[in-house]
Amino acid sequence: MLKELRIKNYAIIDELNIDFKAGLNILTGETGAGKSIIVESLGLILGERASDESIRSGEDSASVEAVFDISQIKKIREFLAKSGIETEDDEIIIKRQVSRSGKNRSYINGNAINLSGLKDIGNMLVDVHGQHEHQTLLYPENHSIVLDSFGNTFHLREKCKDSYSNLQNLQSEMNELINKERERAQRIDLLNFQKEEIDTAELNTGEDEELKREKNLLQNAERLHRYATESYDILYSSEGSVTEKLNTVITAISELSRIDSSAEKFLSDGREVLFQIEDLAGRIRDYTGKIEFNPNRLSEIDDRLAEIAALKRKYGTGIEDILNYRKKIDEELSILSNSQERMDGLSAEIERLKKDLENIATGLASEREKAADRFESMIEKELKELKMEKVRFKIDFYYEEDDAGFIKYKGKAVRLFPEGIGKIEFFFSPNIGEDLKPLSTIASGGELSRVMLSIKNILTNKDSIPVLIFDEVDAGIGGGVAEVVGEKLKKVSKNRQVFCITHLPQIASRADAHFQITKKAFSGRTITVVKELLGEDRVEEIARMAGGKVITDTVRRHAEEMIMKGGEIN
C-alpha cells in the first residue's frame, strides 16, 4: 500500500506530505484545487514521462517521493533483489526528481534506476484509472490478461509463453544449422580430402631429417669414396704407409729395450698405437665399401622431400605439426557429424513441442471462450447496477488464419502468439441503438472507469496490483448509482488500497480516510493544501458536497447519516 506521498515544487504544490491509510482513501475539493495534480505527481513515481513545465514557477526542480509497504508483494521483492536493491522493514522509497536542466533522476531506496525499471515497479504497485492516465483497458493486449485472471487460466497462459519461447529458440538453432548446411558439407569434403592426402603420405616423425642426411651422403658419394680411399692408403696399404713406418719404429724400440729395460714401456705403447691404427684402417675400409653410388635413390629422396614440403606448406611447419593437424581433422569431422545428429534431434524435439503447444494453445482458447460467456454476463450485471441499464459487453475472439501454421482450431490453421492463439478484445455499447465498438475507443472516462470498477469488483480476489486509483469514476452519475459506485469501491477496498477523486457525497461518505484538497494564497503565491478530515470537519465537507453553497442544519444531519451509513457498508 501507499503509506506516504511527499511532493515538492510540483505545479501549484509548494511542499506537501500526505500519510495515507489502508482501505478507501477519498480525495475531495473544489474544481481546480489540485486533486488531479496529486494523481499526476504520483504518475511520475510510476515511470510516466516528466516535463519541466510541471515544475512550480520560479523553481529549478521538482520532486515526488512515495513510501510503499511491499510486505504482501513477493514479486516486487524478487524484482528488487535481482536488481541488487535492498529493502528494510518491507518498505521501499521511490523518488523522482525533475530538473529544468533536463537532468532528471529516479531512485528506489537511494539506488538509481532507469525509467524502464521504474515503470516495471510502478505497474506492479499501482493501477491508475482516469480519462488521461495510465489505463490498462485502453490497450487490447491487456484484455486477455483480465480474462485469464477471471478464468483461472494464467497457468496455461504462462505455460504457453514458456513453450513458445522454447520453440522459438529451437527453431532459431535449427535455422542456423540449416543455413550453415552447405558450408558444413563443403567443410566435410575439404577435411576428408586433407585427411586422405595426409594418410596417403604415411609420414613418420623425423623422417624428413633422415632423408636430408641420406641425400647429403648420396650427393657427396664420390668425394666420400676418394677421401676414405686416400685415408686407408695412407694408414695401411700404400708404400710408406703409417702402419709400415710404425712397424719400423716398433722394431727400433724393441732393440732399444734389449739394451735398456726401462724402454719396454715405449714398446707396449707403440704396439697399442699400431693396433689402433690398424683397427681404424679396417673400419675406414669397411666404410668405403658401404658408400653408395645411386642416382635413382637420390631422385626418390628428392621426390619424397618435395612431397613433405608441400604438406608442410598446407598443414604445418614440421611433420609433427602435420600429424597433429590430422588428429584435429578427426575431431572436427566428429563435431560436424554430431551437427547432423543435432539437426535430427532438434527436428524431433520441435515436432514434439509443436504438438504440446497445440494442446496447450487450443485448450487455453477453449477455456477462455467458456470463461468469456460468464465474464460478459457478470460485467453487464455490474454495469447495470451502476445505472447503465442498456449496456452491452462482448468479448471478441479473432483467430488469424495462417496457412503455414501448425495449430488447427475449429478446422482452420491459425497463428500462434506467445500468449496463445487468437486476439482478444473487449467490445462495448453503453446505449440502445449503438453498435458494439472496441472499449479502447470509448471517449468517456466515466464509462471506462465504471467498466474498470466492475472488473475490479469481479476480480477482487484475483488481481495482484495492491493500489488502485480511480479518477472521474463519478463522471455523469448521481443519486442511486452514486451509492452503488460507493458500495463497490468500498467492497474493492477490502482487499487492496483504493484512491478515489470524487465530487459525490454518496461516494465520499464511504471513505476510510477522507482528504480535502484546497487552494490558498500565501505570500502572493497560490498553493495546494491537503488536510485529512475528521469529525465535524468531515461532516462539513460532505454537507458542502451535498448541499452546495448554503449548508443548513438539515444538510448537516443528512451528511452525518450518510457518513454513518457509509461506515456500516461491508
Side-chain angles (χ1 to χ4, degrees):
M1 62 172 279
L2 175 60
K3 297 177 66 175
E4 187 176 353
L5 184 64
R6 307 164 190 152
I7 307 171
K8 187 174 183 179
N9 297 330
Y10 186 83
I12 61 172
I13 296 175
D14 178 18
E15 188 166 357
L16 199 60
N17 292 343
I18 315 173
D19 294 321
F20 293 112
K21 306 293 189 302
L24 181 58
N25 291 261
I26 295 292
L27 283 73
T28 63
E30 297 288 354
T31 299
K35 300 184 297 298
S36 293
I37 293 175
I38 293 174
V39 176
E40 289 172 9
S41 67
L42 188 57
L44 293 181
I45 294 297
L46 305 180
E48 295 295 331
R49 290 287 176 185
S51 169
D52 59 4
E53 294 180 2
S54 63
I55 300 173
R56 182 173 168 81
S57 297
E59 302 294 338
D60 294 327
S61 64
S63 67
V64 182
E65 194 169 349
V67 181
F68 287 92
D69 180 340
I70 60 168
S71 57
Q72 303 301 315
I73 316 173
K74 181 180 178 182
K75 63 180 180 180
I76 291 183
R77 297 199 302 273
E78 292 174 346
F79 180 90
L80 293 174
K82 289 180 180 178
S83 302
I85 299 175
E86 296 182 358
T87 59
E88 293 183 6
D89 302 323
D90 288 324
E91 284 187 353
I92 60 170
I93 300 174
I94 303 177
K95 186 174 183 178
R96 186 87 180 273
Q97 293 179 321
V98 183
S99 173
R100 293 194 189 280
S101 67
K103 295 180 180 179
N104 302 333
R105 299 286 187 270
S106 303
Y107 303 91
I108 295 182
N109 289 354
N111 297 273
I113 188 168
N114 58 32
L115 202 60
S116 175
L118 192 61
K119 274 197 169 189
D120 289 339
I121 288 288
N123 288 335
M124 288 186 273
L125 282 171
V126 181
D127 210 352
V128 182
H129 305 286
Q131 190 171 4
H132 304 293
E133 303 298 337
H134 173 65
Q135 301 173 44
T136 56
L137 286 182
L138 288 180
Y139 303 96
E141 58 265 28
N142 291 324
H143 295 178
S144 64
I145 297 176
V146 174
L147 185 59
D148 285 334
S149 295
F150 173 78
N152 293 319
T153 50
F154 243 102
H155 66 291
L156 290 176
R157 179 192 187 91
E158 292 303 309
K159 193 173 181 181
C160 186
K161 285 177 67 175
D162 290 342
S163 296
Y164 181 91
S165 177
N166 290 340
L167 180 61
Q168 292 290 96
N169 292 336
L170 292 177
Q171 287 179 328
S172 294
E173 185 180 352
M174 174 65 88
N175 290 337
E176 186 176 354
L177 290 174
I178 290 173
N179 291 336
K180 291 183 176 180
E181 177 59 22
R182 178 178 295 178
E183 179 183 337
R184 188 182 73 88
Q186 291 174 344
R187 182 64 177 167
I188 288 175
D189 287 344
L190 174 62
L191 291 173
N192 280 325
F193 170 79
Q194 293 176 340
K195 175 182 176 181
E196 183 177 0
E197 185 177 37
I198 295 172
D199 288 348
T200 300
E202 297 182 343
L203 297 173
N204 294 303
T205 303
E207 176 186 0
D208 51 343
E209 297 302 321
E210 288 293 333
L211 288 171
K212 288 176 182 178
R213 283 193 291 271
E214 186 178 356
K215 178 180 178 180
N216 184 56
L217 293 177
L218 288 171
Q219 285 178 327
N220 293 280
E222 290 185 4
R223 294 174 63 197
L224 290 173
H225 189 273
R226 184 174 70 251
Y227 295 144
T229 301
E230 288 177 359
S231 298
Y232 178 74
D233 288 344
I234 292 170
L235 286 174
Y236 192 81
S237 65
S238 65
E239 184 176 348
S241 68
V242 172
T243 53
E244 182 178 323
K245 291 180 178 180
L246 189 55
N247 275 315
T248 302
V249 171
I250 291 172
T251 300
I253 292 173
S254 178
E255 292 300 324
L256 180 65
S257 64
R258 287 195 182 98
I259 301 170
D260 183 1
S261 61
S262 63
E264 289 182 359
K265 180 67 172 67
F266 299 150
L267 182 60
S268 62
D269 289 343
R271 288 172 176 167
E272 178 64 27
V273 170
L274 178 62
F275 173 76
Q276 290 179 352
I277 290 176
E278 288 176 340
D279 179 67
L280 175 61
R283 285 188 283 124
I284 291 174
R285 184 193 60 229
D286 294 341
Y287 171 80
T288 304
K290 293 178 180 177
I291 293 174
E292 184 177 6
F293 297 89
N294 191 342
N296 291 334
R297 175 58 182 163
L298 184 60
S299 178
E300 289 176 2
I301 290 174
D302 284 336
D303 291 343
R304 180 61 169 172
L305 287 173
E307 180 183 16
I308 293 173
L311 293 174
K312 285 180 180 180
R313 285 193 297 271
K314 293 181 180 180
Y315 309 120
T317 58
I319 289 179
E320 189 170 352
D321 292 334
I322 297 171
L323 295 177
N324 286 335
Y325 181 75
R326 171 63 180 82
K327 292 178 182 178
K328 291 180 180 178
I329 289 177
D330 281 339
E331 293 172 0
E332 188 173 351
L333 284 172
S334 176
I335 293 172
L336 292 171
S337 175
N338 290 337
S339 177
Q340 181 60 52
E341 292 177 8
R342 177 58 180 159
M343 286 181 66
D344 294 340
L346 274 176
S347 180
E349 196 171 352
I350 287 171
E351 289 306 311
R352 179 192 60 76
L353 192 53
K354 282 182 176 180
K355 290 179 181 178
D356 289 346
L357 257 173
E358 183 172 26
N359 292 332
I360 295 168
T362 55
L364 175 58
S366 177
E367 290 299 315
R368 282 172 171 171
E369 290 183 5
K370 292 177 185 176
D373 292 336
R374 293 182 286 118
F375 189 70
E376 290 166 352
S377 298
M378 293 178 72
I379 287 292
E380 288 185 359
K381 179 176 180 295
E382 290 280 337
L383 291 173
K384 286 174 181 176
E385 290 176 359
L386 294 171
K387 305 305 179 185
M388 298 178 72
E389 289 88 353
K390 306 303 180 181
V391 70
R392 286 186 296 152
F393 183 88
K394 186 72 176 175
I395 299 178
D396 181 71
F397 292 87
Y398 170 67
Y399 299 99
E400 182 179 340
E401 292 189 34
D402 182 4
D403 293 337
F406 63 89
I407 293 180
K408 286 191 175 181
Y409 189 65
K410 297 182 177 179
K412 296 180 180 179
V414 296
R415 184 179 176 186
L416 173 68
F417 298 93
E419 67 278 3
I421 56 172
K423 293 292 186 179
I424 297 172
E425 186 168 4
F426 296 163
F427 276 65
F428 179 79
S429 173
N431 302 305
I432 291 178
E434 293 185 16
D435 293 333
L436 285 162
K437 56 186 177 181
L439 184 65
S440 57
T441 65
I442 291 175
S444 168
E447 288 174 341
L448 189 60
S449 290
R450 274 176 273 178
V451 171
M452 178 53 73
L453 178 60
S454 299
I455 290 173
K456 292 300 177 183
N457 205 30
I458 292 172
L459 302 181
T460 184
N461 295 317
K462 297 179 180 180
D463 196 333
S464 61
I465 299 178
V467 181
L468 303 180
I469 297 177
F470 289 93
D471 191 5
E472 297 188 20
V473 71
D474 56 5
I477 65 171
V481 68
E483 289 191 15
V484 176
V485 170
E487 292 175 7
K488 291 187 180 296
L489 286 170
K490 189 74 170 183
K491 181 179 178 181
V492 172
S493 71
K494 289 178 69 67
N495 294 289
R496 52 184 47 80
Q497 188 183 36
V498 176
F499 292 84
C500 180
I501 296 175
T502 184
H503 295 281
L504 298 178
Q506 296 94 329
I507 294 175
S509 63
R510 269 44 176 206
D512 293 301
H514 188 162
F515 299 90
Q516 182 188 50
I517 292 90
T518 57
K519 284 195 300 187
K520 292 186 178 182
F522 182 77
S523 298
R525 299 289 300 274
T526 300
I527 61 172
T528 294
V529 178
V530 177
K531 176 183 178 182
E532 183 177 2
L533 300 179
L534 302 169
E536 290 301 320
D537 289 338
R538 188 177 178 210
V539 173
E540 285 296 312
E541 177 67 0
I542 298 295
R544 179 195 67 78
M545 298 171 72
K549 293 182 179 179
V550 180
I551 301 176
T552 65
D553 290 339
T554 300
V555 173
R556 288 188 179 90
R557 284 195 298 274
H558 179 56
E560 289 176 348
E561 290 175 1
M562 291 178 71
I563 292 172
M564 289 179 63
K565 183 179 179 182
E568 294 172 358
I569 297 296
N570 294 320

